[in-house]
């Protein structure tokens, strides 16, 4: 869960290009960082604890034509200068993103080699040095390393006897190459170099890339030079700029209407029948499983209820980390849907591979084209949320939910005469709602609280889970979501005069039930808030009512904004909450 960037160039490039690019990768981890750069034919390494800004303080005002840099999220070994990347042993300097599962075994093979830290990355650095000492061939040494290591990795390597080149390999971790006029870039994510080029090459697993000045060479598994395709990246410069918003999260919340409009324009610009050309008919399956982590799992839960309500297909939604180890045997008439913003989440990817072994049809709802899930699913579907920078997801979650709705419509509701207009109206409804919301009374109530609860039934429960996650992850208030009917079975014991309870009530058939649960907690002196789109429910916050199928897309924006405002007033780092990284590529 780290970020890497590097470049080689025909011209001299300021070190600021690397540190600025690295800042775009901070969402992947930010406990320590470092850079190795060539200056005057010497390799220099600088490392720092904390964020890139700390590293910048110690960078000289110099230029380079070959450098690799890294921002770390500790997995093996605590955050420390020794464990920060780049690592250096003998002839090898490298940065690594991923986890090497057999690093202890490799360490044994290193014998007496002195290691200065505790990371798996340092072990493979020393190991590659050992391999290189045996064959004196950069490509051969890297090829051998790939045969020996187990786990996931994106590696960028500079050899001490070829200080003008960088070698890259990857497995199950992203590494994208950027082709600019004078330079070649590498990074975990296009956003790190998008200011310089949008011309990208996606490195395939098993290939080795060599960057030299402005030249890119790619070698196949047999170490033969191979052709590659340069594509235009879907990420654009605007996506990585805050554009006057206080935070990226706020910008991304406000982008949701645009994302919805973009997706509708892509999948059904004129009428719902167009969905047939673009989307799979999921009604042909007898059962569906949905798999994801965190908010993607919550999007799956929304999908589950909507599919069951509208298509009457039984659905079960799993946390990917549970699914991958569960003793599950799926019938061949099952569709497995995987949801992931990054397309690289390790557990979700492992779950997809498990389904492929079972010969189950797999559909992935993913926000990153060329990501592992996108590449490996039988039916990849791209949500068009574009780059999401804030660690807490907002627009990508909404795009996942919308994609599930479109699949449902395509598979059973295309003949609804008013539905297309209602879909097209959504962006405006959301824009008007979020720009008119006054959250101050609620923020004042929540800002000093340490516990908040969210209750709801059916779809409202799925919304509550996401609402609770949003608030807890960025404001550090302890939040729980409960199925409202479950409260009396234990959790109501927690409620007292310090509790804040939100009831979400969009589901008409259970509205009265949830209202009486809210009365129960109010009777225990909790401060309660009723959030509802239903006309006949007296609500503290009235959400605009849209068609039941589409309601979650409107309602969730309230909770996203609330979480944002509460986190801001509590002085939290909204875009980069503590202990969290955006892309969880390890178990
Ligand atoms: C919460 C959040 C996470 C992600 C989860 C899955 O705001 O962003 O819970 O939803 O880590 O990530 P992806 O969607 O990349 O698989």
């Amino acid at each position: 869960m780290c970020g890497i960037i590097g470049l080689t160039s025909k011209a001299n490039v300021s070190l600021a290009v690397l540190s600025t690019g690295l800042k775009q990768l901070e969402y992947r981890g930010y406990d320590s960082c470092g850079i190795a750069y060539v200056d005057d034919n010497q390799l220099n390494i600088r490392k720092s604890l904390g964020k890139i800004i700390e590293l910048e303080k110690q960078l000289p005002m110099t230029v380079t034509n070959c450098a690799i840099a890294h921002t770390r999220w500790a997995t093996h070994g605590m955050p420390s200068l020794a464990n920060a990347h780049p690592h250096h042993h003998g002839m090898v300097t490298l940065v690594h993103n991923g986890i090497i599962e057999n690093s202890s075994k490799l360490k044994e093979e290193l014998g007496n080699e002195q290691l200065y830290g505790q990371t798996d990355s340092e072990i493979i650095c020393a190991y590659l040095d050992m391999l290189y000492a045996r064959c004196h061939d950069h490509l051969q040494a890297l090829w051998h390393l790939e045969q020996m290591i187990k786990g996931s990795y994106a590696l960028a390597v500079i050899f001490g006897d070829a200080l003008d080149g960088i070698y890259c390999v990857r497995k199950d971790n992203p590494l994208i190459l950027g082709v600019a006029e004078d330079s070649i870039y590498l990074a975990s994510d296009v956003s790190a170099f998008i200011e310089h080029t949008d011309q990208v090459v996606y490195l395939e697993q098993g290939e080795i890339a060599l960057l030299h000045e402005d030249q890119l060479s790619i070698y196949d598994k047999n170490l033969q030079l191979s052709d590659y395709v340069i594509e235009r990246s879907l990420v654009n410069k605007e996506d990585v700029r805050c554009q006057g918003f206080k935070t990226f999260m706020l910008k991304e919340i406000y982008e949701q209407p645009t994302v919805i409009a973009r997706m509708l324009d892509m999948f059904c610009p004129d009428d719902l029948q167009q969905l047939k050309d673009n989307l799979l008919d999921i009604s042909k399956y007898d059962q569906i499983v949905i798999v994801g982590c965190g908010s993607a799992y919550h999007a799956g839960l929304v999908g589950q209820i909507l599919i069951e309500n509208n298509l009457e297909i039984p659905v079960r939604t799993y946390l990917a980390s549970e699914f991958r180890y569960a003793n599950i045997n799926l019938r061949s008439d099952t569709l497995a849907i995987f949801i992931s913003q990054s397309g690289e989440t390790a557990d979700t990817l492992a779950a997809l591979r498990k389904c492929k072994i079972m010969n189950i049809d797999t559909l992935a709802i993913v926000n990153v084209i060329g990501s592992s899930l996108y590449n490996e699913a039988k039916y990849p579907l791209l949500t068009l949320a574009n780059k999401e920078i804030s660690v807490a997801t907002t627009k990508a979650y909404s795009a996942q939910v919308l994609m599930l709705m479109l699949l449902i419509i395509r598979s059973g509701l295309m003949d609804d005469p008013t539905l297309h207009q209602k879909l097209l109206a959504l962006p405006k409804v959301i824009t008007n709602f979020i720009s008119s919301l006054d959250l101050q009374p609620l923020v004042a109530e929540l800002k000093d609280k340490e516990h908040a609860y969210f209750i709801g039934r059916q779809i409202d429960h799925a919304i509550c889970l996401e609402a609770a996650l949003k608030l807890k992850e960025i404001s550090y208030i302890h939040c729980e979501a409960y199925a409202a009917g479950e409260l009396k079975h234990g959790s109501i014991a927690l409620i007292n005069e310090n509790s804040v309870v939100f009831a979400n009530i969009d589901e008409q058939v259970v509205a009265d039930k949830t209202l009486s649960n809210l009365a129960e907690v109010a009777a225990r002196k909790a401060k309660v808030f009723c959030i509802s789109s239903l006309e006949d429910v007296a609500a503290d916050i009235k959400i605009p009512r849209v068609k039941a199928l589409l309601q979650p897309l409107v309602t969730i924006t309230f909770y996203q904004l609330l979480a944002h405002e509460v986190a801001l007033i509590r002085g939290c780092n909204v875009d980069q909450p503590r202990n969290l990284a955006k892309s969880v590529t390890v178990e």
Side-chain angles (χ1 to χ4, degrees):
M1 255 180 354
C2 306
I4 63 183
I5 180 173
L7 65 83
T8 60
S9 183
K10 223 162 64 168
N12 283 326
V13 174
S14 157
L15 293 187
V17 168
L18 288 129
S19 62
T20 308
L22 210 48
K23 279 187 188 155
Q24 294 294 346
L25 301 174
E26 271 188 329
Y27 72 87
R28 304 175 66 88
Y30 33 86
D31 63 35
S32 54
C33 47
I35 183 169
Y37 62 95
V38 178
D39 184 14
D40 211 9
N41 220 26
Q42 294 286 324
L43 190 73
N44 305 276
I45 297 182
R46 297 274 187 280
K47 296 184 184 185
S48 154
L49 285 179
K51 296 187 149 198
I52 317 303
I53 195 156
E54 300 304 322
L55 181 68
E56 281 180 325
K57 287 180 193 159
Q58 42 158 317
L59 289 184
M61 296 283 289
T62 189
V63 290
T64 184
N65 55 14
C66 179
I68 49 179
H70 186 272
T71 178
R72 177 167 188 251
W73 203 237
T75 50
H76 282 52
M78 59 192 288
S80 69
L81 286 184
N83 289 337
H85 302 217
H87 289 290
H88 173 79
H89 275 264
M91 292 296 267
V92 175
T93 303
L94 63 72
V95 290
H96 167 225
N97 168 36
I99 289 249
I100 305 301
E101 286 157 10
N102 62 337
S103 59
S104 318
K105 189 170 165 289
L106 300 177
K107 189 175 172 188
E108 278 168 28
E109 286 182 45
L110 286 172
N112 292 334
E113 175 85 29
Q114 284 295 312
L115 298 174
Y116 47 78
Q118 293 86 40
T119 64
D120 52 343
S121 311
E122 188 198 344
I123 292 171
I124 51 169
C125 179
Y127 201 88
L128 180 59
D129 183 51
M130 182 182 82
L131 294 174
Y132 182 62
R134 287 180 191 158
C135 67
H136 295 287
D137 183 301
H138 303 139
L139 285 172
Q140 286 284 349
L142 272 165
W143 185 87
H144 277 292
L145 181 76
E146 288 205 86
Q147 311 311 304
M148 298 306 298
I149 54 181
K150 292 197 165 52
S152 63
Y153 51 86
L155 286 174
V157 183
I158 299 177
F159 287 94
D161 54 1
L163 288 179
D164 50 359
I166 302 174
Y167 289 85
C168 302
V169 287
R170 67 173 279 260
K171 178 171 171 261
D172 294 345
N173 268 322
L175 202 144
I176 296 124
L177 304 160
V179 181
E181 205 175 308
D182 283 337
S183 318
I184 307 287
Y185 290 83
L186 67 97
S188 307
D189 181 328
V190 183
S191 58
F193 57 68
I194 193 68
E195 294 287 344
H196 309 285
T197 181
D198 62 359
Q199 301 297 299
V200 296
V201 176
Y202 294 99
L203 187 65
E204 299 293 334
Q205 317 225 123
E207 290 179 335
I208 302 180
L210 170 60
L211 288 63
H212 178 252
E213 296 186 342
D214 59 346
Q215 298 298 315
L216 173 65
S217 314
I218 300 216
Y219 296 87
D220 66 15
K221 288 187 176 108
N222 304 315
L223 302 187
Q224 299 302 308
L225 271 175
S226 80
D227 293 336
Y228 55 83
V229 183
I230 302 180
E231 297 172 42
R232 188 160 176 272
S233 164
L234 290 181
V235 175
N236 65 56
K237 288 183 191 177
E238 298 315 312
D239 291 332
V240 302
R241 292 178 183 158
C242 225
Q243 293 175 331
F245 285 91
K246 278 183 270 190
T247 64
F248 276 104
M249 182 178 177
L250 193 60
K251 173 184 170 235
E252 288 159 5
I253 290 172
Y254 272 86
E255 266 172 25
Q256 291 176 111
T258 314
V259 171
I260 293 171
R262 188 185 300 135
M263 286 177 68
L264 296 177
D265 197 42
M266 173 74 187
F267 290 102
C268 53
D270 307 314
D271 63 64
L272 294 178
Q273 296 301 323
Q274 292 169 313
L275 291 171
K276 267 194 204 157
D277 304 333
N278 299 311
L279 297 176
L280 179 72
D281 179 2
I282 62 172
S283 69
K284 66 182 182 193
Y285 295 92
D286 284 344
Q287 57 174 7
I288 294 176
V289 294
I290 306 182
V291 184
C293 301
S295 297
Y297 168 72
H298 297 158
L301 288 172
V302 171
Q304 167 176 337
I305 291 161
L306 294 179
I307 294 171
E308 288 179 344
N309 285 350
N310 291 286
L311 302 179
E312 291 172 20
I313 304 169
V315 184
R316 184 148 176 211
T317 307
Y318 289 90
L319 290 164
S321 51
E322 291 297 310
F323 182 88
R324 69 184 287 191
Y325 295 110
N327 191 1
I328 299 170
N329 234 329
L330 294 171
R331 298 193 319 242
S332 58
D333 55 4
T334 308
L335 173 68
I337 301 181
F338 299 86
I339 306 181
S340 173
Q341 188 283 129
S342 61
E344 300 292 349
T345 301
D347 285 323
T348 314
L349 191 54
L352 176 122
R353 288 175 182 163
K354 179 171 171 163
C355 285
K356 285 176 83 172
I357 291 169
M358 286 189 263
N359 265 324
I360 300 301
D361 278 357
T362 55
L363 181 151
I365 298 177
V366 179
N367 197 39
V368 181
I369 198 163
S371 60
S372 304
L373 273 161
Y374 187 88
N375 287 343
E376 293 187 31
K378 180 167 179 185
Y379 303 109
L381 280 179
L382 193 66
T383 51
L384 305 173
N386 287 0
K387 178 82 196 151
E388 193 177 58
I389 304 259
S390 164
V391 167
T393 182
T394 52
K395 61 173 180 168
Y397 164 87
S398 294
Q400 292 160 355
V401 170
L402 177 60
M403 190 66 96
L404 288 160
M405 291 168 176
L406 293 179
L407 279 166
I408 293 167
I409 296 169
R410 187 264 175 266
S411 308
L413 308 179
M414 275 188 305
D415 295 332
D416 181 333
T418 59
L419 190 47
H420 192 244
Q421 279 314 314
K422 289 187 172 149
L423 274 167
L424 295 182
L426 270 177
K428 195 145 190 229
V429 172
I430 296 173
T431 305
N432 290 345
F433 173 53
I434 57 182
S435 45
S436 64
L437 249 182
D438 175 15
L439 290 170
Q440 286 326 305
L442 289 176
V443 173
E445 194 62 52
L446 267 173
K447 73 178 178 25
D448 300 317
K449 290 285 189 307
E450 287 313 317
H451 307 277
Y453 303 95
F454 297 78
I455 61 171
R457 292 165 184 252
Q458 295 291 301
I459 203 98
D460 293 329
H461 178 228
I463 292 290
C464 283
L465 285 163
E466 178 59 8
L469 180 62
K470 279 291 87 73
L471 184 59
K472 77 171 84 151
E473 69 181 327
I474 61 169
S475 75
Y476 316 141
I477 295 174
H478 167 234
C479 300
E480 295 296 342
Y482 295 116
E486 269 295 293
L487 267 186
K488 321 196 211 343
H489 297 284
S491 314
I492 200 165
L494 293 169
I495 303 296
N496 62 21
E497 65 278 12
N498 297 320
S499 315
V500 180
V501 181
F502 290 87
N504 197 76
I505 311 183
D506 286 333
E507 192 82 84
Q508 186 77 66
V509 282
V510 288
D512 289 345
K513 309 274 174 205
T514 308
L515 278 171
S516 64
N517 296 130
L518 196 60
E520 282 158 14
V521 289
R524 269 95 196 153
K525 301 208 174 75
K527 180 81 194 160
V528 299
F529 293 103
C530 178
I531 314 301
S532 179
S533 60
L534 299 177
E535 216 175 284
D536 52 354
V537 171
D540 299 287
I541 296 283
K542 208 47 161 184
I543 310 282
R545 184 69 187 166
V546 294
K547 193 174 170 64
L549 173 75
L550 312 178
Q551 190 62 46
L553 287 171
V554 185
T555 301
I556 198 60
T557 58
F558 157 72
Y559 294 105
Q560 295 167 341
L561 272 175
L562 180 67
H564 181 270
E565 295 308 304
V566 173
L568 263 193
I569 207 161
R570 284 166 67 95
C572 303
N573 183 338
V574 171
D575 288 333
Q576 294 175 342
R578 70 183 179 211
N579 306 341
L580 284 175
K582 187 147 187 78
S583 183
V584 185
T585 54
V586 295
E587 269 196 85

